[in-house]
């Protein structure tokens, strides 16, 4: 029997007591993701390619699809009654729920369009989202309500818009994947209990930044490149899609390690990727699939955020490999 997203979520309610409002929230995000996927698929015919003249809070030039995807997610989620507020990589400050609608008990955070540099070249892109409980006694649309460590997430997921549109989810009971049936418009469960292999021979990093990396990262990648006759005693393969969603999705399917570490280009920034919209949701998914995620020193999910748009160094994927790289950082710190 084909199991739809709704069927799976109702099964979670019965097995794990998952809140029905969380189901409504996820179904709404899934509807938005379908709309975004549809816009992505139109490409030049839909007039969705290219850049705007605006920049986001991180100073990055916005692509048309960054803004379109953000609007689709905000509009889909503001009226359902399950959310207290939303925050996005593409919005300077959190948005509350319009007074016309009831407020719920969850906070939704998203990277509406991940892999923006790949939009115009027809390479896989995605959407990443994270759900936190709205803390009692705070004004939910204030930044402070969102500043919770990633381990508090009650749900995280991503959609990858590739040859297929695939939605990957965790509600804290393992990781599942749904494929969009383009004939019926339904997300159908296609993988249950996704597991990332503990070991790997494949790494993902933007090698062009090598000269800017910290010493433990240089050492690790050099060891991989040395192959069979080097200290690791095996040959490694390299992949870099430049869409975190697509790189993480490959790791979900066949293992690997993904790194976007701190580097000296902007030494005051802890990294390129955003903790709340990218690192935390991916870290929860990866851990739920048996992998690991650190910033080189500590578990990503234990980082106490201090700012909504803060950045972080990211090392995630196959558990033994992530532990090895984290060990190299500890050794370097110990001198
Ligand atoms: P976004 O498009 O949301 O800004 O994120 C892009 C991120 C991530 O998806 C990817 O891994 C990385 O930036 C690519 O960076 P480089 O272009 O520096 O390789
Ligand atoms: Mn991104
Ligand atoms: Mn983005």
């Amino acid at each position: 029997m084909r199991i739809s997203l709704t069927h799976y979520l109702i099964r979670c309610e019965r097995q794990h007591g998952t809140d029905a409002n969380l189901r409504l929230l996820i179904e709404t995000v899934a509807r938005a993701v379908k709309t975004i996927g549809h816009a992505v698929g139109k490409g030049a015919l839909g007039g969705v390619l290219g850049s705007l003249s605006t920049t986001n809070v991180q100073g990055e030039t916005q692509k048309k699809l960054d803004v379109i995807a953000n609007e689709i997610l905000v509009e889909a989620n503001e009226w359902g009654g399950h959310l207290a507020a939303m925050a996005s990589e593409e919005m300077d400050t959190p948005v509350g729920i319009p007074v016309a609608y009831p407020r719920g008990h969850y906070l939704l955070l998203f990277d509406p369009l991940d892999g923006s540099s790949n939009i115009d070249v027809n390479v896989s892109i995605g959407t990443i989202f994270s759900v936190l409980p709205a803390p009692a006694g705070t004004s939910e649309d204030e930044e402070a309500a969102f500043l919770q460590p990633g381990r508090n997430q009650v749900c995280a997921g991503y959609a990858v818009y590739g040859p297929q549109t695939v939605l990957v989810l965790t509600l804290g009971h393992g990781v599942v994947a749904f494929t969009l049936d383009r004939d019926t418009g339904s997300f159908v469960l296609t993988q249950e209990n996704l597991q990332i292999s503990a070991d790997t021979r494949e790494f993902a990093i933007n090698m062009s930044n090598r000269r800017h990396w910290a010493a433990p990262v240089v050492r690790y990648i050099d060891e991989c490149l040395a192959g069979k006759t080097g200290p690791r005693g095996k040959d490694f393969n390299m992949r870099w899609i430049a869409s975190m969603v697509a790189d993480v999705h490959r790791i979900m399917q066949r293992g690997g390690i993904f790194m976007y570490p701190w580097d000296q280009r902007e030494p005051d920034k802890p990294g390129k990727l955003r903790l709340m919209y990218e690192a935390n949701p991916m870290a929860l998914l990866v851990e739920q699939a048996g992998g690991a995620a650190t910033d080189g020193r500590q578990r990503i999910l234990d980082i106490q955020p201090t700012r909504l748009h803060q950045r972080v160094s990211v090392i995630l994927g196959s558990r033994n490999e992530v532990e090895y790289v984290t060990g190299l950082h500890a050794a370097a710190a110990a001198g």
Side-chain angles (χ1 to χ4, degrees):
M1 183 178 62
R2 281 180 147 210
I3 297 180
S4 66
L5 176 64
T6 298
H7 186 160
Y8 170 78
L9 293 172
I10 287 181
R11 207 170 78 185
C12 285
E13 281 177 42
R14 291 180 185 149
Q15 283 179 358
H16 308 292
T18 306
D19 177 16
N21 272 310
L22 185 57
R23 165 166 61 82
L24 295 176
L25 196 175
I26 295 166
E27 286 173 339
T28 308
V29 171
R31 273 198 300 278
V33 152
K34 265 190 263 185
T35 309
I36 297 169
H38 192 70
V40 168
K42 282 189 186 264
L45 302 177
V48 298
L49 304 184
S51 298
L52 297 166
S53 55
T54 49
T55 52
N56 65 14
V57 64
Q58 353 253 335
E60 299 159 339
T61 301
Q62 290 180 303
K63 301 277 183 180
K64 282 187 195 169
L65 263 179
D66 289 324
V67 173
I68 293 169
N70 191 68
E71 280 169 4
I72 290 170
L73 279 159
V74 170
E75 283 171 21
N77 282 285
E78 65 185 4
W79 50 267
H82 40 262
L83 277 186
M86 289 176 254
S88 162
E89 182 183 286
E90 300 299 340
M91 301 190 293
D92 297 6
T93 53
V95 289
I97 299 303
V99 285
Y101 306 120
R103 273 179 164 225
H105 301 293
Y106 294 106
L107 302 172
L108 177 66
L109 300 92
F110 43 84
D111 175 357
L113 210 292
D114 175 68
S116 301
S117 71
N118 283 321
I119 295 171
D120 294 346
V121 293
N122 197 13
V123 171
S124 292
I125 51 183
T127 295
I128 312 172
F129 67 95
S130 159
V131 184
L132 286 167
T138 56
S139 170
E140 293 91 344
D141 49 1
E142 277 174 17
E143 193 167 315
F146 289 84
L147 302 182
Q148 307 178 43
R151 61 172 183 269
N152 284 12
Q153 291 169 104
V154 293
C155 172
Y158 64 79
V160 53
Y161 313 114
Q164 306 107 41
T165 292
V166 174
L167 179 67
V168 177
L169 265 190
T170 184
L171 286 89
H173 312 289
V175 181
V176 287
F178 300 84
T179 304
L180 179 64
D181 180 334
R182 288 180 172 143
D183 295 329
T184 62
S186 169
F187 274 113
V188 180
L189 184 66
T190 41
Q191 283 181 297
E192 269 196 272
N193 194 22
L194 277 163
Q195 289 289 322
I196 299 174
S197 57
D199 293 302
T200 184
R201 291 163 179 248
E202 194 161 70
F203 66 86
I205 194 165
N206 186 336
M207 282 294 293
S208 69
N209 296 325
R210 185 184 182 282
R211 69 192 183 284
H212 306 297
W213 295 336
V217 178
V218 174
R219 177 172 164 190
Y220 171 65
I221 297 297
D222 284 358
E223 286 185 3
C224 293
L225 295 177
K228 226 180 195 132
T229 54
R232 303 301 306 281
K234 56 185 181 181
D235 290 334
F236 279 77
N237 187 29
M238 192 200 89
R239 285 288 184 273
W240 184 250
I241 302 174
S243 294
M244 187 192 201
V245 163
D247 278 312
V248 169
H249 193 62
R250 182 189 60 255
I251 289 170
M252 283 285 177
Q253 300 303 320
R254 67 177 193 211
I257 182 167
F258 170 95
M259 302 172 69
Y260 212 121
W262 169 90
D263 68 46
Q264 287 160 19
R265 285 173 297 173
E266 294 180 277
D268 297 338
K269 278 190 193 161
K272 172 176 181 177
L273 299 177
R274 275 98 351 174
L275 176 63
M276 307 300 285
Y277 316 112
E278 296 171 317
N280 271 343
M282 290 311 201
L284 185 66
L285 285 156
V286 164
E287 282 199 7
Q288 283 288 317
T294 77
D295 68 353
R297 286 168 311 190
Q298 63 171 327
R299 187 180 173 228
I300 298 262
L301 295 179
D302 285 338
I303 296 173
Q304 173 60 52
T306 53
R307 283 179 307 116
L308 193 56
H309 295 290
Q310 91 185 54
R311 297 174 189 255
V312 66
S313 185
V314 175
I315 301 165
L316 60 75
S318 292
R319 194 177 59 242
N320 292 342
E321 207 63 16
V322 172
E323 281 170 8
Y324 185 78
V325 181
T326 307
L328 292 179
H329 281 77

